[in-house]
Amino acid sequence: EPEVTQTPSHQVTQMGQEVILRCVPISNHLYFYWYRQILGQKVEFLVSFYNNEISEKSEIFDDQFSVERPDGSNFTLKIRSTKLEDSAMYFCASCSGESGTDTQYFGPGTRLTVL
Amino acid sequence: QKEVEQNSGPLSVPEGAIASLNCTYSDRGSQSFFWYRQYSGKSPELIMFIYSNGDKEDGRFTAQLNKASQYVSLLIRDSQPSDSATYLCAVKDTGGFKTIFGAGTRLFVKA
């Protein structure tokens, strides 16, 4: 069964450093998302991406964040200058976009630790 | 601010019993509702989605939707210890692309 994959599974970085989290969505899906979950808290929406552009972003997704689909398979989240409060699990999700369904399937996540 | 509310639990049930998980949402126009299971340290795993009022059954799981009351529930029959996890209720935002998650209900199934 097709799955969303994410790399790395765990990323440790120093405050102020740039990180890039990578995702490979399910191959025929058209909508892509990033969510984050701080330990013990809710899953929070960051950004959605469709047709090679951001379709929606949350207040969390400020100028320090960016997303890109550099080729036909990868979907990346970049944090330019990490802060301690960016430490969280980051989940990529994708949705087929087929009429009548808007189910999002999640990848296994990347645990980001900012020291 | 659109909200999805769940009782955080923990909900503890004996093995073989029915577990009942509840969720309310604030956006009356919502059309798409999801239940995800999340084991500690893992990603949300889709269990069921429901779009229409009434019941939807899939194996041991039944989702129930009442749009008039803005209420979604999940019943797990014949609960197993492996069902012990956090169950996340999620609602598709009518005005955009995102899915809004509740904080989750922790379920413990005692052997």
Side-chain angles (χ1 to χ4, degrees):
Chain A
E1 187 170 328
E3 293 180 333
V4 177
T5 59
Q6 290 185 243
T7 54
S9 57
H10 191 186
Q11 174 88 49
V12 181
T13 189
Q14 296 290 326
M15 190 170 54
Q17 294 297 302
E18 175 183 288
V19 295
I20 297 176
L21 309 183
R22 291 183 167 79
C23 168
V24 178
I26 295 172
S27 64
N28 62 342
H29 283 192
L30 301 177
Y31 293 82
F32 315 116
Y33 310 84
W34 284 100
Y35 290 83
R36 80 171 186 191
Q37 188 176 32
I38 295 171
L39 186 63
Q41 297 187 23
K42 289 184 183 184
V43 175
E44 300 176 287
F45 169 78
L46 292 178
V47 65
S48 61
F49 193 85
Y50 171 70
N51 200 25
N52 284 318
E53 62 182 22
I54 291 174
S55 48
E56 186 179 1
K57 60 184 180 180
S58 72
E59 292 175 354
I60 302 168
F61 194 88
D62 61 20
D63 291 345
Q64 293 301 309
F65 292 87
S66 62
V67 289
E68 194 176 38
R69 189 157 162 83
D71 53 43
S73 60
N74 290 283
F75 180 51
T76 62
L77 174 70
K78 181 192 291 186
I79 310 175
R80 286 188 185 80
S81 178
T82 49
K83 307 183 188 70
L84 295 176
E85 54 265 36
D86 293 328
S87 294
M89 282 288 285
Y90 287 80
F91 298 112
C92 175
S94 69
C95 173
S96 68
E98 292 175 2
S99 176
T101 178
D102 44 20
T103 302
Q104 296 176 21
Y105 295 90
F106 282 72
T110 293
R111 180 176 300 281
L112 176 65
T113 302
V114 182
L115 302 177
Chain B
Q1 182 81 355
K2 297 171 185 175
E3 298 283 347
V4 176
E5 299 289 342
Q6 295 181 256
N7 187 327
S8 63
L11 173 65
S12 183
V13 301
E15 184 175 359
I18 295 175
S20 177
L21 306 163
N22 305 314
C23 169
T24 58
Y25 58 94
S26 63
D27 183 1
R28 183 167 289 279
S30 296
Q31 298 293 324
S32 304
F33 307 88
F34 307 90
W35 283 99
Y36 287 86
R37 176 174 61 198
Q38 187 175 33
Y39 293 111
S40 181
K42 302 296 185 183
S43 65
E45 174 192 5
L46 181 71
I47 298 175
M48 292 191 70
F49 60 86
I50 186 167
Y51 301 146
S52 303
N53 274 330
D55 294 1
K56 179 182 178 183
E57 186 173 318
D58 183 0
R60 296 187 295 113
F61 299 96
T62 299
Q64 299 173 317
L65 174 60
N66 183 328
K67 290 183 181 178
S69 301
Q70 296 173 238
Y71 177 90
V72 195
S73 66
L74 180 71
L75 300 178
I76 306 174
R77 288 182 299 281
D78 188 23
S79 296
Q80 301 297 309
S82 58
D83 294 327
S84 298
T86 297
Y87 289 80
L88 308 178
C89 175
V91 179
K92 173 75 164 48
D93 181 22
T94 52
F97 295 83
K98 64 180 176 285
T99 296
I100 302 167
F101 283 80
T105 299
R106 287 167 56 206
L107 173 65
F108 291 107
V109 181
K110 299 174 292 186

